[in-house]
């Protein structure tokens, strides 16, 4: 039997690279869509470059999406590409809408044209819950997004549901709460904290400048979350699922765990910098993943404390080298 074929958009990102690792382990033929850049930024997939096939494409360009699907002939499509940094979505609101929102419709249209029998995964986000209407949040909780990113993701979510219902596509939306790990970009708060904890310990940084320390998130471990994405596409019927840990921590908790692990004191090194505060904040997110547990048999494996410690250790090792 020939190997199943998967296409990952956003394969150079945190989740895309973990998902490529997982699918290769499962025997898939893995294709990735990448956009052209004058300097290649493929660090996260360097270790598997000779085992995957890359296609040039961009969520802004319909022709490239159709050609990518024709070349890859995927059984499963994972749409992970997006402008994913919430803070930048206020600086580039319409571009965020194009990438993160309308880009989903472009890819669904390309799928309808080229491979309507394929299974489709959309990377939806807990940021859609924003100013939360219910605690904890589940699949039925109404959305109240608080950023241009959250608004764009809500569009991407509903267009996925709409194409499933309109055209009978196997299209699933995974509403994932924050997930982190050693491949997280440095601008996101967990990695910013763990990198600085390591750098401060090594005398390579003097302070850590942060915005709102009171914001609370339900933070999980990225390798666990890509396993959930794959499980969703193995179901006979496409539905939407919340993926979370069911536990919330504040940004301050994150600093305390990282600094404690590195032998540092929060008060000596952390400086509050208003430029990192957002025009509208999401104060508290906590997810209810009972449906994923019952239907997908999915459970998180790594606690927040373990994850932050392993991120500090990885940053320390990398900076020391
Ligand atoms: P990430 O590390 O920022 O990766 C984003 C990926 O999208 C990168 O590969 C990027 O390519 C690609 N991309 C951006 N714009 C594109 C475009 N116009 N055309 C083609 N590719 C484009 O994000 P992540 O953390 O892995 O997240 C994966 C997805 O899950 C995103 O959609 C994100 O919004 C969503 N999500 C993430 C979380 C989380 O906590 N991580 C939670 C919920 C939902 P370049 O390398 O060229 O920039
Ligand atoms: N990035 C950042 N930098 N955030 C800070 C800082 C700082 O210096 N100081 C405080 N924060 C607070 C933010 O205000 C926010 O409340 C929280 O830390 C988390 O910020 P991020 O790590 O940037 O993540 P996010 O929650 O905005 O978005 C992430 O999770 C979403 C799912 O809920 C991203 O991965 C999104 O792509 C994802 O959809």
């Amino acid at each position: 039997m020939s190997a199943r074929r998967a296409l990952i958009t956003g394969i150079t990102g945190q989740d895309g690279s973990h998902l490529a690792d997982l699918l290769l382990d499962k025997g898939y033929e893995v294709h990735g869509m990448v956009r052209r850049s004058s300097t290649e930024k493929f660090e996260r997939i360097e270790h598997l470059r000779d085992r995957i096939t890359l296609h040039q494409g961009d969520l802004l360009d319909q022709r490239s999406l159709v050609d990518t699907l024709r070349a890859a002939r995927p059984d499963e499509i994972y749409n992970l590409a997006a402008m994913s940094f919430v803070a930048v979505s206020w600086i580039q609101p319409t571009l965020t809408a194009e990438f993160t929102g309308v880009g989903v419709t472009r890819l669904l249209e390309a799928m309808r044209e080229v491979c309507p029998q394929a299974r489709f995964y959309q990377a939806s986000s807990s940021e859609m819950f924003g100013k939360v209407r219910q605690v904890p949040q589940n699949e039925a909780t109404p959305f109240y997004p608080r950023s241009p990113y959250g608004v764009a993701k809500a569009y991407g979510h509903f267009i996925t549901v709409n194409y499933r219902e309109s055209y009978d596509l196997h299209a699933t939306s995974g509403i994932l709460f924050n997930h982190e790990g050693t491949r997280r970009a440095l601008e996101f708060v967990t990695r910013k904290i763990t990198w600085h904890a390591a750098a401060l310990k090594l005398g390579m940084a003097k302070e850590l400048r942060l915005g709102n320390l009171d914001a609370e998130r339900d933070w999980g471990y990225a390798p666990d979350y890509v396993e959930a994405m794959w499980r969703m596409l193995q179901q006979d019927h496409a539905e939407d699922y919340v993926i979370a840990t069911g536990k919330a921590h504040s940004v301050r908790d994150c600093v305390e765990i990282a600094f404690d692990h590195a032998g540092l004191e929060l008060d000596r090194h952390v400086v509050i910098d208003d430029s990192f505060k957002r025009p509208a904040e999401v104060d508290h997110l906590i997810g209810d993943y009972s449906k994923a547990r019952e239907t997908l048999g999915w459970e998180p494996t790594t606690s927040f404390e373990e994850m932050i410690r392993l991120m500090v250790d990885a940053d320390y090792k990398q900076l020391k080298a």
Side-chain angles (χ1 to χ4, degrees):
M1 214 174 80
S2 58
R4 285 183 69 72
R5 302 161 74 98
L7 172 73
I8 305 173
T9 74
I11 195 167
T12 55
Q14 170 188 258
D15 289 6
S17 63
H18 283 301
L19 182 63
D21 286 336
L22 179 92
L23 296 178
L24 285 170
D25 281 352
K26 292 187 183 295
Y28 277 70
E29 182 179 314
V30 175
H31 295 252
M33 191 182 85
V34 291
R35 49 184 178 163
R36 195 257 161 194
S37 159
S38 66
T39 41
E40 269 190 9
K41 293 172 288 175
F42 291 172
E43 303 95 61
R44 295 189 183 99
I45 51 169
E46 212 53 70
H47 61 291
L48 38 77
R49 267 303 275 280
D50 55 347
R51 299 171 64 206
I52 57 178
T53 308
L54 296 180
H55 305 268
Q56 289 279 344
D58 195 298
L59 288 174
L60 299 188
D61 189 274
Q62 190 71 26
R63 170 86 266 138
S64 69
L65 299 179
V66 169
D67 287 349
T68 295
L69 290 182
R70 286 209 174 115
R73 292 184 291 114
D75 301 299
E76 296 173 17
I77 301 166
Y78 295 87
N79 183 33
L80 309 187
M83 200 304 287
S84 75
F85 189 41
V86 173
V88 162
S89 74
W90 277 280
I91 300 168
Q92 300 178 341
T94 50
L95 188 61
T96 302
E98 284 289 347
F99 282 172
T100 306
V102 186
V104 185
T105 314
R106 290 195 192 93
L107 190 56
L108 284 163
E109 276 298 319
M111 174 185 168
R112 278 184 69 213
E113 187 177 326
V114 178
C115 49
Q117 301 310 321
R119 295 182 173 193
F120 181 89
Y121 174 86
Q122 168 57 18
S124 287
S125 164
S126 52
E127 182 73 13
M128 299 186 302
F129 295 123
K131 194 175 164 89
V132 298
R133 308 281 90 188
Q134 188 183 321
V135 180
Q137 297 84 50
N138 64 25
E139 293 79 6
T141 304
F143 300 149
Y144 192 139
R146 292 272 281 171
S147 61
Y149 168 85
V151 174
K153 279 286 177 189
Y155 172 88
H157 173 82
F158 280 125
I159 203 72
T160 303
V161 174
N162 179 258
Y163 270 48
R164 175 169 76 219
E165 295 174 355
S166 304
Y167 304 116
D168 201 23
L169 300 181
H170 194 296
T172 282
S173 172
I175 307 175
L176 272 51
F177 281 64
N178 300 49
H179 46 280
E180 321 289 314
T182 55
R183 296 185 195 171
R184 189 58 142 153
L186 288 167
E187 62 201 346
F188 295 93
V189 79
T190 55
R191 183 77 197 284
K192 182 174 174 181
I193 291 168
T194 63
W195 187 92
H196 276 85
L200 284 160
K201 186 172 176 176
L202 287 163
M204 294 167 74
K206 290 198 174 64
E207 61 185 20
L208 165 57
R209 304 185 80 83
L210 290 171
N212 177 12
L213 297 188
D214 297 322
E216 292 184 327
R217 291 289 182 277
D218 179 329
W219 275 294
Y221 187 45
D224 288 346
Y225 283 46
V226 298
E227 168 78 26
M229 295 175 190
W230 175 77
R231 289 191 188 201
M232 286 180 217
L233 291 207
Q234 309 318 304
Q235 304 303 302
D236 290 340
H237 300 287
E239 286 179 36
D240 305 325
Y241 297 90
V242 158
I243 300 297
T245 70
K247 295 193 177 80
H249 293 89
S250 65
V251 173
R252 186 186 309 278
D253 293 340
C254 181
V255 181
E256 278 168 0
I257 294 163
F259 275 30
D260 184 54
H261 192 55
L264 302 164
E265 284 166 40
L266 186 153
D267 294 340
R268 280 192 55 198
H269 300 289
V270 172
V271 177
I272 300 302
D273 182 337
D274 285 346
S275 69
F276 291 109
K277 292 187 176 164
R278 296 177 179 178
E281 179 62 288
V282 171
D283 297 316
H284 176 78
L285 289 176
I286 181 163
D288 169 3
Y289 68 99
S290 338
K291 179 178 173 185
R293 183 175 51 225
E294 279 146 33
T295 313
L296 308 177
W298 180 87
E299 284 283 355
T301 66
T302 306
S303 74
F304 179 65
E305 290 80 0
E306 284 170 316
M307 175 178 79
I308 295 303
R309 289 187 200 117
L310 75 82
M311 287 170 68
V312 172
D313 290 341
D315 280 325
Y316 184 80
K317 199 169 152 198
Q318 197 183 18
L319 283 174
K320 205 160 182 234

